[in-house]
Amino acid sequence: MTETTTTPGVLFVCSKNGGKSQLAAGLMNQLAGGDVTVYSAGTKPGTSLNPQAVESLAELGIDITGEHPKPVSGEVLDAVDVVVVLGTEAKLESRGGARFEVWETDEPSERGIEGMERMRLVRDDIKARVQKLHTELTGH
């Protein structure tokens, strides 16, 4: 990023980059409409997206079917202003000048909630956090 660029960048990280980080990226992309450069990655990328994560975003009119799990790269870490690790499974050290946050997201399965009901609760928890972060990054 150059000093003249005012578009903040954010990287959402989870373990497999198939669920939570993809949810956060999809939600931020929809909310920001280009005001924020959004990346997602996994510390141990899986082979595919979680179908329930894709479906839960589709319910909100967000299409992430073209996405795929990606590894965390130094290039992206150096390019962003904020790194958000979702959940407790992914382990990532903060580096550089980027703001570093860990979001211990709601885990409904610990309360016996599974399937799409679980995914909607996870999505809604992440959505509220993404909205707060968007406001902090853009001022609106």
Side-chain angles (χ1 to χ4, degrees):
M1 291 176 67
T2 63
E3 289 181 9
T4 56
T5 302
T6 56
T7 306
V10 63
L11 169 63
F12 294 106
V13 178
C14 67
S15 180
K16 297 186 185 104
N17 190 220
K20 291 177 182 178
S21 58
Q22 293 284 355
L23 287 170
L27 290 161
M28 180 63 86
N29 274 323
Q30 181 193 51
L31 187 61
D35 288 349
V36 177
T37 303
V38 181
Y39 303 91
S40 72
T43 55
K44 297 175 185 168
T47 55
S48 62
L49 300 185
N50 178 324
Q52 291 178 337
V54 174
E55 185 180 337
S56 76
L57 287 176
E59 292 176 351
L60 300 180
I62 302 170
D63 181 8
I64 62 164
T65 54
E67 289 294 326
H68 62 280
K70 300 168 283 301
V72 176
S73 75
E75 184 179 332
V76 171
L77 283 171
D78 291 340
V80 297
D81 302 291
V82 181
V83 176
V84 177
V85 178
L86 292 101
T88 55
E89 208 175 309
K91 303 298 180 208
L92 187 69
E93 296 297 316
S94 78
R95 81 181 234 182
R99 182 168 127 199
F100 192 83
E101 296 183 12
V102 176
W103 292 355
E104 292 190 22
T105 52
D106 183 27
E107 191 39 73
S109 62
E110 294 173 359
R111 302 188 301 276
I113 301 170
E114 297 293 342
M116 279 307 295
E117 184 181 359
R118 171 194 171 269
M119 191 56 66
R120 287 182 189 110
L121 290 168
V122 170
R123 175 199 67 201
D124 293 346
D125 175 41
I126 292 171
K127 183 178 180 184
R129 295 166 189 253
V130 164
Q131 288 171 326
K132 181 177 182 288
L133 178 61
H134 176 262
T135 299
E136 291 170 5
L137 292 174
T138 65
H140 56 273

